[in-house]
Amino acid sequence: MKLSSLASFRFTPNLPEGLSRLTELAYNYYWSWRPEMIDLFRRLDPDMWEVTHHNPVRMLMDVPQWKLTRAANNHEFQEHYKHCLNLLDSYLNAESWYRQVHSGEQNGRIVFFSMEYGLAECLPLYSGGLGVLSGDYLKAASDLGLPVVGIGLAYRQGYFQQRLDVNGRQNELYPQNDFDVLPIQPVLDDKGQRITIQIPFHNRQLTIGAWLVTVGRVPLYVLDTDLPENSPADRSITHTLYGGDRETRIQQEIVLGFGGIELLRKLGIKMSVCHMNEGHSAFVQIARVLHAAADQGLSWYEALQLVAAGTLFTTHTPVPAGIDEFSTELMDKYFGQIYDRYGISRDEVLGLGSVRPGAPGQPFNMAICALRTSDYTNGVSRLHADVSRRMWTESWPNLPHEEVPIDFVTNGVHHATWISPEMSQLYQRHFSADWNNGPDDKRLWAQVDSVPDNEIWETHNLGKLRLIDFARTRVSQYRQRVSGFVPLAEELEEIFAPDILTIGFARRFATYKRATLLLSHPKRLLALLRDPERPVQFIFAGKAHPQDVMGKDLIAELIRFARENGVEHRMLFLENYDMNVAAHLVRGVDIWMNNPRRPLEASGTSGMKVLINGGLNFSILDGWWEEAYLPENGWAIGGAMQFGDDGKQDESDARMLFDVLEHQIVPLYYRRDENGVPSAWMQKVKASIAGLVPRFDARRMVKEYWEDFYARALERCAMMEMDNAAGARELARWKRYLESRWHEVRVINVQTEPTYNLHPGSSVKVRAEVALGGLSPDDVEVQICYGEDQGSGDLELSGYSRLEHSSDGTSHIYTGNWTAPENGVFGYTVRVVPSHPFLGNPLRMGIVRWAAPHA
């Protein structure tokens, strides 16, 4: 007979007085990028550290009392503990970079909205690259001391856990996250009661709670609908990341946007700058506009000017199919009562997300909404920004694609999170003990040239040994699970070898990432794997979306190929790709391979993580690698040419991939000096570290966000908010008036001199006569735009300059000069754009009057 418990209670050990701040260390994710702190928790109980998936809070709840008492009485542990406390206290109280560059009063926070965050293995609130980037962003913002607050969702099940069956087919498991044993804390009020908020939700009110995740200096609040006040269906809204149907998705994104704003208001956190990380959070803009209108007595359009002035939208999606869209029926279902409650029209709301506002039947596009409600937009690499401009050119039909107002900040990674402990110690010995305080300092990394080759080589190989041990353990667990038998030790020892060139490939298994490109030339691949003198071994990892059957087929195909050809010991697939698997891979592989179809990789960050660990990149010239690649720091697969035919592109890229592997990479790796060190290989490693680590560091990324966007947005917001938002009211009035009179603007005549005997550096004078109708010269700026003539009068714009205004009493005359930078055929044109002191980038309005050809 089985007995049923009437009630269950968790009994946790008491922390000895000498270890009373262990809990403080455990709840601040600063531990996740300080190896000293990780070692402290591991030291308490190494086995339990692994069993709890590196969760210090769970570990402190489960570790036996006697082990805590023993640690409290151990002098070495006490010294280690005090050192970790000193690290945390010094970090939290040190003068930050932000305080050095911004000495003024802090007027509100930068609030970062993201659907997912990857901070550590033990907090599974992420699916892949977007979430891990968000986590790295928060860590870098903390390092720099920026006044950032994060907003996300608290997923009870997170993203799925991947389990492969005996045939290598992916299955999905959704274990429950027990928030009570994770490094997160409920958000409480002054009386110790849990804070909740409510938002209108179809025909009811939805109650939302929040959890606090402390990331160094930065608070991250994650929203939770799994509360007893809600119905079972509503409680499940925040259960699964990227799960459910379209209705679940719109529900989650309403919680993120509207719930996030309500929580900030409840906590008294003023938001001066909003940073939307991808279009999932675009509903936050509607919530902000509604509150701005209600709080300050603004119209919808006036409030929109105020909100947009302080908003940055970062897009990560290179194809329209990857963007969330919702039907008008779903929008009406969830926003209908908002129309009535706030007295706004349906067309005003739906128009924000329509590609062609006013045209009936269009879905609500979240990226369009984010673009329309933000004065600042960026892609995540130089190439991705260009792809995004082309993708959204329909929204700015009066602009050449290169001037569609989408800038770029190339992603970076938080190197302290991804570096191996041994490589960190190497840099401490040769650079300085606090080298990690300036990971984006180019002068620091230039010192790597003086580090002996053999030291970097041997230290990197320690990471490879750890990767091999990890891989063998994972393979053993998998084989035991699917067969019921424990593999023999000698079987496992045949899997991978530390002296073999090791290439890693790990990412989401989507078809465009072409994980099976290697299999298109099976004979060449098998020759590399079986080579008796210079073999190669490949290690794969990654998840396919649960609904992506083709992605699952790719995983199974890789595993089947290895089995059928007897090369499982040289070609592995590690299941359940997460931050722990990723850390082992980037610290241990010699080569990180990436072969997506160009230009579908917006940025990619996995390859950045191998840099600091002494690994090299071998990739398609896409995303970040298009900016980073030089022949001395890695290898490229193919070039920038795109065939427009997937089959031809795949075949060409596959041939080039094998050509480079066979004739460049493999020979260079196995070419050793008298000490067994591949010295020519190490020159590439050093060039990669010195040139790329500081460029692709997350601190550099966050600094660029501050310098290019946040600082400007803060200044504009302050101007717009003064005198009860007088600036927002004025800008809205002026825009409406400008739009009503713009049809009267035209370029009447353009004259130039001289038109012959021109040389590089020669000045060409331009005189334009412009009709402004009911507008004044202060309402516009007249510009000369110039660039290379591509033939047939097509102009590739390379720059522009402002023309000066004068008047002959009857006409508006604008004059100026332009200069060709070199010899060749160059052309120019003249345009009129809006101008106002409160306006950001005038091109965002999409209103331009160009001179007619030969005007």
Side-chain angles (χ1 to χ4, degrees):
M1 168 180 152
K2 291 185 179 181
L3 295 178
S4 299
S5 174
L6 295 178
S8 298
F9 306 92
R10 180 179 293 279
F11 294 84
T12 59
N14 292 311
L15 287 179
E17 185 176 347
L19 301 177
S20 60
R21 292 183 65 192
L22 267 179
T23 301
E24 183 183 349
L25 292 175
Y27 276 104
N28 191 320
Y29 279 83
Y30 185 53
W31 63 260
S32 69
W33 69 93
R34 291 303 309 210
E36 304 94 330
M37 294 182 181
I38 293 173
D39 288 344
L40 180 75
F41 291 114
R42 181 185 286 116
R43 192 170 182 174
L44 270 176
D45 191 324
D47 293 336
M48 187 168 290
W49 180 248
E50 297 303 323
V51 168
T52 61
H53 301 287
H54 309 150
N55 177 351
V57 170
R58 177 65 183 265
M59 184 174 177
L60 292 180
M61 290 181 175
D62 291 352
V63 69
Q65 184 72 57
W66 68 267
K67 290 191 176 183
L68 287 170
T69 304
R70 181 184 65 183
N73 295 324
N74 182 286
H75 175 74
E76 290 184 359
F77 189 91
Q78 276 287 325
E79 291 301 309
H80 191 170
Y81 167 70
K82 291 175 183 177
H83 174 61
C84 290
L85 290 179
N86 182 60
L87 286 174
L88 179 62
D89 292 339
S90 298
Y91 178 81
L92 296 178
N93 297 314
E95 183 183 27
S96 67
W97 173 87
Y98 172 73
R99 281 299 175 198
Q100 294 171 7
V101 300
H102 182 76
S103 56
E105 181 181 350
Q106 182 174 307
N107 183 27
R109 297 294 193 104
I110 300 159
V111 183
F112 185 83
F113 288 81
S114 183
M115 196 76 167
E116 51 176 299
Y117 291 89
L119 294 165
E121 172 198 3
C122 65
L123 187 65
L125 304 181
Y126 64 95
S127 69
L130 180 70
V132 174
L133 175 73
S134 298
D136 279 9
Y137 166 89
L138 292 187
K139 293 174 183 178
S142 171
D143 289 342
L144 295 170
L146 260 68
V148 167
V149 173
I151 298 289
L153 298 182
Y155 301 103
R156 291 282 173 172
Q157 297 176 346
Y159 202 50
F160 69 89
Q161 301 289 301
Q162 181 190 58
R163 288 292 179 271
L164 303 180
D165 65 16
V166 67
N167 297 313
R169 298 294 304 182
Q170 173 182 293
N171 294 297
E172 297 85 34
L173 301 178
Y174 293 91
Q176 292 285 333
N177 289 325
D178 184 352
F179 289 170
D180 291 331
V181 299
L182 292 176
I184 62 176
Q185 297 169 298
V187 179
L188 308 176
D189 62 20
D190 294 339
K191 298 178 182 178
Q193 300 299 309
R194 185 165 187 187
I195 286 178
T196 60
I197 54 175
Q198 290 190 321
I199 62 172
F201 210 68
H202 184 32
N203 55 2
R204 59 196 182 277
Q205 293 289 107
L206 181 70
T207 302
I208 303 170
W211 299 82
L212 171 64
V213 184
T214 303
V215 187
R217 299 180 175 106
V218 171
L220 165 63
Y221 297 99
V222 289
L223 305 169
D224 181 14
T225 64
D226 194 358
L227 301 177
E229 295 91 331
N230 294 324
S231 68
D234 286 350
R235 294 186 71 161
S236 69
I237 290 171
T238 56
H239 278 185
T240 307
L241 173 60
Y242 302 142
D245 55 14
R246 300 309 300 165
E247 186 155 9
T248 302
R249 181 64 66 87
I250 196 173
Q251 291 175 337
Q252 289 185 336
E253 296 183 6
I254 289 171
V255 170
L256 179 64
F258 278 76
I261 291 301
E262 292 303 324
L263 178 67
L264 292 170
R265 290 169 68 87
K266 186 91 174 235
L267 297 176
I269 297 173
K270 179 185 178 184
M271 172 167 53
S272 291
V273 175
C274 173
H275 186 166
M276 295 184 289
N277 192 42
E278 194 49 282
H280 308 123
S281 50
F283 288 142
V284 71
Q285 295 297 85
I286 298 177
R288 292 176 70 204
V289 170
L290 294 175
H291 280 300
D295 293 346
Q296 302 187 56
L298 302 173
S299 70
W300 168 269
Y301 192 64
E302 289 168 343
L304 183 57
Q305 309 312 309
L306 182 61
V307 165
T311 304
L312 168 65
F313 166 48
T314 296
T315 174
H316 294 259
T317 308
V319 290
I323 294 165
D324 284 342
E325 291 186 335
F326 301 114
S327 67
T328 53
E329 290 78 15
L330 271 180
M331 289 295 295
D332 287 342
K333 179 176 180 178
Y334 287 96
F335 284 84
Q337 64 175 307
I338 293 175
Y339 308 149
D340 300 334
R341 177 176 174 181
Y342 289 95
I344 57 173
S345 75
R346 176 178 184 266
D347 289 344
E348 282 178 313
V349 174
L350 296 184
L352 292 178
S354 301
V355 176
R356 296 174 300 280
Q362 295 182 83
F364 188 93
N365 183 295
M366 294 294 279
I368 287 287
C369 178
L371 283 166
R372 287 234 170 88
T373 59
S374 306
D375 275 358
Y376 308 97
T377 305
N378 74 282
V380 291
S381 69
R382 181 174 60 199
L383 180 59
H384 174 239
D386 184 70
V387 171
S388 298
R389 293 185 200 110
R390 294 180 187 277
M391 187 165 69
W392 300 115
T393 189
E394 186 178 359
S395 297
W396 284 274
N398 295 321
L399 295 176
H401 95 271
E402 62 265 29
E403 283 204 309
V404 169
I406 299 177
D407 208 330
F408 75 94
V409 172
T410 302
N411 286 340
V413 298
H414 190 253
H415 283 117
T417 296
W418 301 103
I419 190 172
S420 73
E422 294 81 10
M423 289 299 291
S424 181
Q425 292 165 9
L426 175 77
Y427 297 136
Q428 286 179 13
R429 289 197 307 271
H430 288 278
F431 297 171
S432 66
D434 61 348
W435 69 268
N436 198 37
N437 288 335
D440 58 331
D441 185 348
K442 295 179 181 179
R443 294 168 300 177
L444 173 77
W445 294 103
Q447 300 176 60
V448 74
D449 198 49
S450 63
V451 181
D453 289 354
N454 67 300
E455 286 196 45
I456 300 177
W457 172 249
E458 291 166 5
T459 305
H460 168 75
N461 283 335
L462 292 175
K464 185 191 282 191
L465 285 170
R466 189 176 286 111
L467 169 61
I468 291 172
D469 287 343
F470 178 78
R472 289 172 177 172
T473 300
R474 283 295 181 97
V475 169
S476 175
Q477 293 169 346
Y478 167 72
R479 291 181 179 177
Q480 185 175 350
R481 190 180 73 245
V482 299
S483 70
F485 296 98
V486 178
L488 298 174
E490 48 266 35
E491 287 180 52
L492 296 176
E493 288 173 1
E494 293 180 0
I495 297 173
F496 270 36
D499 58 345
I500 293 178
L501 172 63
T502 303
I503 299 176
F505 179 102
R507 54 214 338 103
R508 180 165 56 91
F509 266 64
T511 52
Y512 79 87
K513 292 179 183 283
R514 301 189 299 184
T516 56
L517 190 64
L518 281 167
L519 306 188
S520 62
H521 289 243
K523 291 183 179 179
R524 297 177 79 174
L525 174 58
L526 290 172
L528 288 169
L529 295 168
R530 293 168 173 166
D531 191 302
E533 304 279 330
R534 303 183 306 185
V536 179
Q537 52 198 13
F538 292 89
I539 187 163
F540 294 85
K543 297 177 178 179
H545 188 277
Q547 297 173 4
D548 185 0
V549 176
M550 294 179 69
K552 294 180 181 181
D553 290 344
L554 297 178
I555 296 171
E557 189 178 351
L558 282 171
I559 293 170
R560 183 170 60 250
F561 177 88
R563 288 178 181 173
E564 290 178 352
N565 291 282
V567 289
E568 286 181 280
H569 62 303
R570 295 273 168 83
M571 189 171 168
L572 290 183
F573 185 95
L574 298 184
E575 68 179 353
N576 204 35
Y577 185 42
D578 62 7
M579 289 185 70
N580 184 38
V581 174
H584 281 87
L585 288 170
V586 300
R587 294 168 181 174
V589 298
D590 300 305
I591 291 283
W592 193 264
M593 187 175 73
N594 186 26
N595 45 248
R597 283 199 186 96
R598 177 186 162 101
L600 300 182
E601 186 88 313
S603 172
T605 55
S606 297
M608 300 177 190
K609 294 162 189 167
V610 307
L611 303 171
I612 203 167
N613 291 299
L616 293 171
N617 278 271
F618 175 41
S619 176
I620 294 287
L621 290 176
D622 198 7
W624 79 282
W625 192 236
E626 188 268 344
E627 299 171 43
Y629 167 70
L630 291 171
E632 59 264 29
N633 64 23
W635 293 271
I637 301 172
M641 186 172 68
Q642 293 164 226
F643 289 92
D645 179 295
D646 287 348
K648 291 181 179 178
Q649 190 74 57
D650 292 350
E651 175 56 25
S652 174
D653 289 345
R655 284 201 317 271
M656 292 183 180
L657 185 154
F658 278 101
D659 286 347
V660 174
L661 266 177
E662 294 164 348
H663 303 299
Q664 297 182 40
I665 294 176
V666 171
L668 192 70
Y669 181 83
Y670 285 103
R671 190 184 307 148
R672 308 295 171 88
D673 62 17
E674 62 276 8
N675 298 312
V677 176
S679 54
W681 181 276
M682 295 312 300
Q683 291 310 300
K684 274 187 176 285
V685 169
K686 287 183 174 181
S688 172
I689 293 172
L692 302 184
V693 167
R695 280 180 61 193
F696 297 97
D697 179 75
R699 290 202 206 187
R700 183 274 311 156
M701 172 184 72
V702 175
K703 285 179 180 179
E704 286 187 15
Y705 277 127
W706 168 259
E707 293 161 355
D708 295 347
F709 302 110
Y710 297 161
R712 287 191 287 164
L714 282 169
E715 184 178 356
R716 285 192 64 219
C717 275
M719 285 195 308
M720 302 274 274
E721 288 177 336
M722 289 176 62
D723 301 325
N724 192 29
R729 298 174 201 271
E730 161 59 20
L731 184 59
R733 181 206 63 77
W734 174 84
K735 280 188 173 182
R736 290 302 195 207
Y737 178 73
L738 183 94
E739 289 165 349
S740 71
R741 307 305 293 263
W742 193 255
H743 66 280
E744 300 171 356
V745 176
R746 60 194 181 95
V747 180
I748 298 172
N749 181 269
V750 179
Q751 298 175 351
T752 59
E753 60 176 32
T755 58
Y756 57 89
N757 197 27
L758 297 174
H759 306 284
S762 296
S763 180
V764 179
K765 296 180 181 180
V766 177
R767 180 185 184 276
E769 182 182 354
V770 178
L772 297 180
L775 300 179
S776 78
D778 291 337
D779 292 326
V780 302
E781 181 174 295
V782 180
Q783 300 170 343
I784 179 171
C785 303
Y786 48 85
E788 190 170 352
D789 191 322
Q790 299 296 297
S792 302
D794 293 333
L795 188 65
E796 183 176 339
L797 191 63
S798 61
Y800 67 88
S801 58
R802 182 174 180 269
L803 297 179
E804 297 298 325
H805 174 261
S806 63
S807 177
D808 62 5
T810 58
S811 302
H812 294 286
I813 306 300
Y814 291 84
T815 57
N817 302 286
W818 68 281
T819 302
E822 56 187 350
N823 59 305
V825 180
F826 291 84
Y828 81 96
T829 187
V830 170
R831 70 180 176 194
V832 187
V833 298
S835 178
H836 190 279
F838 293 151
L839 194 61
N841 182 349
L843 300 181
R844 291 196 72 87
M845 290 186 69
I847 296 176
V848 183
R849 181 72 68 224
W850 294 90
H854 311 297

